[in-house]
Structures are given as C-alpha cells and as structure tokens.
C-alpha cells in the first residue's frame, strides 16, 4: 500500500470530498470569526490570553499557544510527541507574524484541523467501501452521519488534538482492514510508524495500534521478533523519550512557574492579612458602620472530580464515585452526539454540572434509536474480524473512561477517539439486510443525519455567533 495512494482523492470521492471540505471550512470560519479580534493582535503573554479567553466546552487551546510561542506545554506523558509535531506550524506562524504583523495562529491551526478532519472522513468512506463492501450511497451516508455528531463537528473546529487522533486512528483502521481483506500481515515498520503517530498524539491510543497488530496478525503477533521490534522496543523508546522531554524541556519551566505562583500566593496572603487586621481594627473603632464590615472571601471553586480508586501518578485521575448510568445516557451517547441546550458548550470545570438533562423527549428517542442501530449492527457483523477490531478499541475507551473513570466528568470530549465505531457497525447492518429492510434503515439514517445536522448546527452557530 503506497502512501501516495492513501491521500489521493478517487474520482468517485470528488463530490463528497468537496461537500465535506465546504462544511469543514464553514465550521472553522465560525471559530476564527468568534475569536479573531482577541487572538490576532500580537501579544506578550499568549498563555494567559488563550487559556483565559477561549471557551468551547472543555476543549483546551494549548495548540494555539504552542504554535504562537513554542514550548512543550502539553502533558508529555499523555501527548509525548505533540509539541514536536507543532514545530513546523510554529515556524510558519512566526514568519507570518513578521510578514503580516498579526498572529496567524487561528488560520494555520484551522488548516491543520481541516486536513485531519477531511482525511478522517475519506478514510471512513473507504472503510465502508473497501473493507465492509457497501455501495457508494451508503458509504457516503455513513460518513456524513459521523460528521453530524456534535463532538465530531466540534473536534474539527477547535484547537485541540482530538481530530488529529481521529485522523490517525481511522488511517490505522483502514490499513488494518485492507490487510485483513487481503490476508496479509501487518509488518514491523507499519506497526512502528502507526504507533508513533497515534501514541505520539495521545499515548493511550498507541495501545489501539497493538490491538490492530493482534487482530491482523493473530498468532504471529506473539512471534519474538515482531513482539520485540514492533511492540516492546517502540513502547520503551516512546516512554523514555517522554521522560527525557519532561526532565529537560518541561520541568525547568514548570518549576519556574511554580516558584512564581508560590511568590504571588505569599504576597496575596500578606495583603489579605493586612486587610483583615485593618477590618478588625475598624470593628473595634466607633464610627461609620458601613466601614465595619470586612469583605467576605470568595468561595473556592469546587473540584468536579470523584474519589479516585487509588493514589498515584495516573490513578489519582481515576473516578469511582461518579454515577455511570447517567454519564452513559447524558454524556457518552448523549452530549457526544446531541448538544444539551442548557449550559450550552460550557466547561464542566467552570459552570456546567456534570450531568445535564435534555429538555425534550425527542432527544432521548433519537439517542435510543441510534444506540439500537449500533447494537443491531454489532449483531449483524459479529463474524467480522475487522468489526471486532473496531469494537476492541471502543471497549478500551469504555474501560478507561467509564470503568476506571478517567475523564468521565467530561467523557464527551474524547468522542473522536471511538465514536466512528458507530457508523462502522451500522455499515454491517446495511450490508446484512435484504432490499426492503435496507431501504427502511437507509431512510431512518437519512432522517436522523439531517436532524442531527440541523439540531447541532443550530446550537453551534448560536454559541459561536453570540
């Protein structure tokens, strides 16, 4: 499989490619228009500007900062190579700053997002066509169906890493599907390249490449040469590289920032002590009663994180107390696909409650219908090794987010890591039906897709233009 052929648009893909490209440009234009006045002027402190002023659900605008003023500011144990992937965009942006006198970070990042989202769409379409074996209409329908989901649309238009992850994950799935179809094995070099791409952007997704190698190669996965060179050695190299990156690139700046924060806290504590002493003195002095009331301290922000299973570098982020069923209904299969109009796109760590209910019954009907199609699709494709590969990825995310509770408070943010499994499963449903039932399911999918585009599009536009 040649790399050039992977990115070449086929003749039958041209119209759908143009359609999705226009949609992605429109979505990114909304983000640029909302924040251009704030983010295009040249600044001295980009971190406070982007982190303090960008608010779209719980997405982090760290990419804006790294492309504006390069520094290894991602969590290196979760995104070990992401900062380095942003080096070239940073250099381009610095040149644009000199040339145009403004910060062009929004435009450069938008191009990256559009590229990743565009080819993620193309790879899903090819999975439906080449791996599942669907017709042109059904393949296009399922591809647009995926992009009607709320947090797929959002991931394609905000400066976070999720759409980049979806791009490399669907690339991995497509390559794996072709290898399974042609009864070929995943080579060591293919595994290593895909692992560094996926794990470099988001470490836990590197495990999905190993699962792909297991499902494609089956028993040969455990051959000593493959296991050593394609699994153990790359994992060790990436982990050692992450530790090196932390100690030599991240820790010095982190320690300096902590020292500055400690200094500011000490100064604030000193000023508060002085004000408190003056307030006590005023209470003891007869005079104007209006002056005797000391200012009340601001309440501390409640930490919206459940109790962890245990303490540790990673397990302290787990959560064993958040209700799972409500999280699955309202967030995993809820907010991920249909936005809640209440607390619309608010950050759960700021003002949004962890669980928000829908106003209308139609939302739960649509969610139930979608889950039903998903489950029936799994049953129809139960003999497909490729579908079980995709489902193993979904099971891994369920274990991490729902089982162990990592990020369960805003699990919808991670939708781009797994949600493409839904249209893949529905593809097996369409493939397994006879003509009349297929037309019925196809009609339901068309109506559901149109509904989601109108519903989610309305609320996204409303939020981005307010």
């Amino acid at each position: 499989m040649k790399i050039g052929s992977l990115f070449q648009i086929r003749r039958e893909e041209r119209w759908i490619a143009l359609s999705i490209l226009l949609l992605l440009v429109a979505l990114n234009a909304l983000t640029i228009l909302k924040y251009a006045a704030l983010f295009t002027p040249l600044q001295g402190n980009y971190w406070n500007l982007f982190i303090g002023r960008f608010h779209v659900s719980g997405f982090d605008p760290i990419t804006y900062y790294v492309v504006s003023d390069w520094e290894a500011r991602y969590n290196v144990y979760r995104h070990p190579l992401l900062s380095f992937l942003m080096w070239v965009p940073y250099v381009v942006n610095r040149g644009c700053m000199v040339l145009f006198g403004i910060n062009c970070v929004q435009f450069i990042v938008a191009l990256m997002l559009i590229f990743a989202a565009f080819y993620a769409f193309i790879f899903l379409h090819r999975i439906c066509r080449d791996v599942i074996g669907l017709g042109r209409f059904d393949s296009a329908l399922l591809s647009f169906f995926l992009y009607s989901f709320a947090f797929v649309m959002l991931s394609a238009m905000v400066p976070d890493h999720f759409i980049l992850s979806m791009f490399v994950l669907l690339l991995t799935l497509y390559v794996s599907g072709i290898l399974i179809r042609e009864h070929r094995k995943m080579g060591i070099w293919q595994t290593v390249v895909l692992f560094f791409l996926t794990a470099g952007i988001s470490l836990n997704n590197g495990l999905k490449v190993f699962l792909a190698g297991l499902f494609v190669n089956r028993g040969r996965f455990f051959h000593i040469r493959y296991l050593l060179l394609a699994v153990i050695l790359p994992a060790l190299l990436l982990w050692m590289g992450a530790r090196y990156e932390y100690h030599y690139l991240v820790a010095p700046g982190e320690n300096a920032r902590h020292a500055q924060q400690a200094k500011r806290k000490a100064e604030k504590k000193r000023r508060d002590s002085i004000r408190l002493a003056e307030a006590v003195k005023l209470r003891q002095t007869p005079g104007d009663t209006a002056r005797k009331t000391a200012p009340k301290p601001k309440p501390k922000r409640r930490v919206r994180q459940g109790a962890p299973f245990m303490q540790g570098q990673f397990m302290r982020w787990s959560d064993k107390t958040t209700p799972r069923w409500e999280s699955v209904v309202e967030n995993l299969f809820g907010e991920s696909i249909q936005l809640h109009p209440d607390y619309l796109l608010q950050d759960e760590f700021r003002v949004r409650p962890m669980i928000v209910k829908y106003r209308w019954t139609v939302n739960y009907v649509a969610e139930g219908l979608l889950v039903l199609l998903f489950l029936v699709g799994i049953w129809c494709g139960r003999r497909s090794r490729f579908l079980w590969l995709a489902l193993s990825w979904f099971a891994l995310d369920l274990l991490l987010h729902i089982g162990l509770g990592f990020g369960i408070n805003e699990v919808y943010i991670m939708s781009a890591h797994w949600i493409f499994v839904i249209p893949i499963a529905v593809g097996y449903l369409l493939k397994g039906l006879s003509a009349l039932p297929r037309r019925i399911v196809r009609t339901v999918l068309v109506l559901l897709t149109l509904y989601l585009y109108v519903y989610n599009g309305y609320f996204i536009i409303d939020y981005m233009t307010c």
Side-chain angles (χ1 to χ4, degrees):
M1 186 180 298
K2 296 181 180 179
I3 294 177
S5 65
L6 286 173
F7 295 94
Q8 183 178 0
I9 303 302
R10 302 171 183 172
R11 181 182 296 274
E12 70 171 38
E13 296 170 339
R14 290 177 183 175
W15 283 109
I16 62 168
L18 178 60
S19 301
I20 195 61
L21 183 61
L22 292 175
L23 173 63
L24 295 172
V25 169
L27 290 173
N28 280 272
L30 287 173
T31 307
I32 292 172
L33 291 173
K34 183 175 178 65
Y35 290 103
L38 290 172
F39 294 164
T40 51
L42 300 179
Q43 302 285 336
N45 191 336
Y46 285 111
W47 180 264
N48 289 342
L49 172 67
F50 296 135
I51 299 300
R53 303 301 294 273
F54 183 88
H55 302 298
V56 179
S57 191
F59 291 107
D60 295 323
I62 298 176
T63 299
Y64 277 169
Y65 171 76
V66 175
V67 177
S68 298
D69 190 7
W70 193 90
E71 187 180 357
R73 288 300 290 268
Y74 300 103
N75 185 315
V76 296
Y77 294 115
R78 292 168 58 192
H79 315 290
L81 300 180
L82 193 52
S83 293
F84 301 107
L85 292 176
M86 298 300 162
W87 171 255
V88 171
Y90 159 74
V91 172
V92 172
N93 189 35
R94 298 304 292 187
C96 290
M97 287 180 178
V98 174
L99 187 62
F100 300 109
I102 61 172
N103 189 354
C104 297
V105 64
Q106 283 191 281
F107 305 98
I108 293 171
V109 171
L111 290 175
M112 296 165 52
L113 297 175
I114 291 170
F115 175 87
F118 176 81
Y119 275 103
F121 178 94
I122 294 297
F123 291 140
L124 177 63
H125 181 266
R126 292 178 183 175
I127 287 170
C128 295
R129 287 286 282 150
D130 302 342
V131 180
I132 302 176
L134 295 175
R136 293 174 61 179
F137 181 84
D138 289 338
S139 299
L141 173 59
L142 290 173
S143 302
F144 282 107
F145 181 50
L146 174 66
Y147 277 71
S148 69
F149 297 168
F151 271 74
V152 174
M153 296 173 72
L154 289 168
S155 296
M157 61 188 290
V158 296
D160 214 321
H161 73 279
F162 294 103
I163 201 66
L164 303 179
S165 291
M166 192 169 86
F167 158 63
V168 293
L169 288 172
L170 281 169
L171 169 62
T172 302
L173 264 187
Y174 176 62
V175 170
S176 301
I178 295 298
L179 293 174
I180 290 173
R181 187 193 70 181
E182 297 180 353
H183 306 288
R184 295 164 56 194
K185 304 303 176 186
M186 182 178 287
I188 292 173
W189 73 269
Q190 290 172 316
T191 308
V192 170
V193 170
L194 291 172
F195 172 75
F196 277 105
L197 280 174
T198 53
I201 295 174
S202 186
L203 185 63
N204 60 296
N205 285 329
L207 296 174
K208 297 177 180 178
V209 176
F210 296 152
L211 285 171
L214 176 61
F215 275 86
V216 173
N217 294 349
R218 293 192 282 189
R220 295 187 182 183
F221 177 85
F222 298 100
H223 286 189
I224 296 299
R225 184 169 180 269
Y226 182 88
L227 202 60
L228 178 63
L229 298 179
V231 179
I232 297 175
L233 184 60
L236 286 175
L237 287 175
L238 192 63
W239 181 252
M240 291 170 60
R243 292 187 64 84
Y244 179 90
E245 182 182 356
Y246 179 79
H247 286 293
Y248 290 95
L249 294 180
V250 178
E254 203 172 69
N255 294 335
R257 289 191 296 272
H258 289 167
Q260 291 177 355
Q261 290 174 0
K263 184 177 179 180
R264 286 195 297 267
K265 287 181 179 179
E267 180 62 23
K268 183 177 183 299
K269 185 177 180 180
R270 186 185 68 82
R271 291 196 301 266
D272 290 343
S273 299
I274 294 173
R275 283 198 295 268
L276 181 61
E278 291 176 348
V280 171
K281 185 177 180 181
L282 286 173
R283 286 196 189 98
Q284 297 172 350
T285 304
D288 187 4
T289 56
R291 298 175 56 198
K292 295 182 181 181
T293 303
K296 294 181 180 180
K298 294 182 179 179
K300 293 183 178 180
R301 180 174 61 86
R302 182 170 66 88
V303 177
R304 300 176 183 270
Q305 177 73 28
F309 284 95
M310 64 182 70
Q311 295 298 326
Q313 185 173 7
F314 293 103
M315 288 304 295
R316 64 191 176 95
W317 298 109
S318 63
D319 185 332
K320 65 180 180 181
T321 57
T322 295
R324 264 45 178 182
W325 176 251
E326 287 185 306
S327 296
V328 169
V329 172
E330 302 296 345
N331 292 335
L332 184 74
F333 288 111
E335 178 80 356
S336 299
I337 296 168
Q338 302 176 86
L339 294 173
H340 287 83
D342 297 320
Y343 300 97
L344 178 63
L345 294 178
Q346 297 300 310
D347 191 343
E348 196 274 337
F349 282 95
R350 296 177 184 266
V351 296
R352 185 190 191 274
M354 189 178 298
I355 303 297
V356 179
K357 303 286 186 179
Y358 286 110
R359 299 177 186 175
W360 307 295
T361 305
V362 66
N363 297 108
Y364 295 105
V365 172
E367 180 180 343
L369 180 60
L370 188 144
V371 172
L372 178 62
L373 291 171
F374 180 37
L375 294 176
V376 177
I378 292 173
W379 175 256
C380 292
R382 64 191 182 278
R383 293 186 178 88
S384 168
R385 181 157 41 120
F386 176 76
L387 179 59
W388 283 111
L389 165 59
L391 290 174
S392 72
W393 290 10
F394 179 47
L396 177 62
D397 283 319
L398 279 183
L399 174 63
L400 290 174
H401 302 313
I402 303 300
L404 296 176
F406 289 106
I408 192 174
N409 53 310
E410 48 180 11
V411 67
Y412 40 85
I413 294 292
M414 279 72 73
S415 298
H417 289 167
W418 63 268
I419 206 164
F420 46 80
V421 178
I422 294 178
I424 289 174
V426 176
Y428 282 94
L429 169 60
L430 290 171
K431 183 181 179 182
L433 293 175
S434 57
L436 180 58
R438 185 185 299 120
R439 283 197 293 269
I440 295 173
V441 172
R442 188 182 291 150
T443 301
V444 171
L445 277 172
V446 169
L447 294 175
L448 188 56
T449 301
L450 292 174
Y451 158 74
L452 289 174
Y453 272 115
V454 172
Y455 178 88
N456 291 322
Y458 171 80
F459 286 114
I460 290 173
I461 293 172
D462 179 61
Y463 181 83
M464 287 295 184
T465 56
C466 68

